[in-house]
Amino acid sequence: MALVLVKYGTDHPVEKLKIRSAKAEDKIVLIQNGVFWALEELETPAKVYTIKDDFLARGYSEEDSKVPLITYSEFIDLLESEEKFIG
């Protein structure tokens, strides 16, 4: 299991590779400009989360996100619970 951090937008090829390569037991967190991925249907078996504050700061409403929104506190909990981190 790994926590995969996506912080760049949808035009970034490495971020696309990280999302597509994630396994079912992995978790993906969309942060900073990575939150733009939350507007799309993602091709991944992993659980995906978006940082709520980053998403809202870009002018979107909670209803616009296609993945669950989490707080920074919940993000820290995910960081602490995973053995591996892919940034």
Side-chain angles (χ1 to χ4, degrees), residues 2 5 7 10 16-17 22 32 37 41 45 55 59 68 79-80 86:
L5 188 62
K7 69 178 203 170
T10 57
K16 187 176 288 190
L17 179 63
Q32 297 174 352
W37 289 96
E41 296 292 333
F55 191 74
L79 277 172
E80 292 174 343
I86 300 169

Side-chain angles (χ1 to χ4, degrees), residues 1 4 10 13 16-17 22 24 31 33 47 58 81-82 86:
M1 294 173 42
V4 180
T10 57
K16 187 176 288 190
L17 179 63
I31 191 169
N33 283 340
K47 291 183 181 178
R58 281 152 181 84
S81 70
E82 296 298 326
I86 300 169

Side-chain angles (χ1 to χ4, degrees), residues 6-67:
V6 175
K7 69 178 203 170
Y8 297 109
T10 57
D11 60 341
H12 200 278
V14 174
E15 302 294 44
K16 187 176 288 190
L17 179 63
K18 288 194 290 189
I19 291 169
R20 288 188 178 163
S21 299
K23 298 180 174 122
E25 62 271 9
D26 296 336
K27 294 178 183 130
I28 298 173
V29 175
L30 309 174
I31 191 169
Q32 297 174 352
N33 283 340
V35 301
F36 291 113
W37 289 96
L39 300 170
E40 300 185 6
E41 296 292 333
L42 298 178
E43 298 177 25
T44 183
K47 291 183 181 178
V48 182
Y49 305 94
T50 300
I51 300 292
K52 181 178 179 178
D53 288 345
D54 289 349
F55 191 74
L56 298 178
R58 281 152 181 84
Y60 296 105
S61 68
E62 292 183 30
E63 294 78 26
D64 294 327
S65 180
K66 295 187 179 187
V67 300

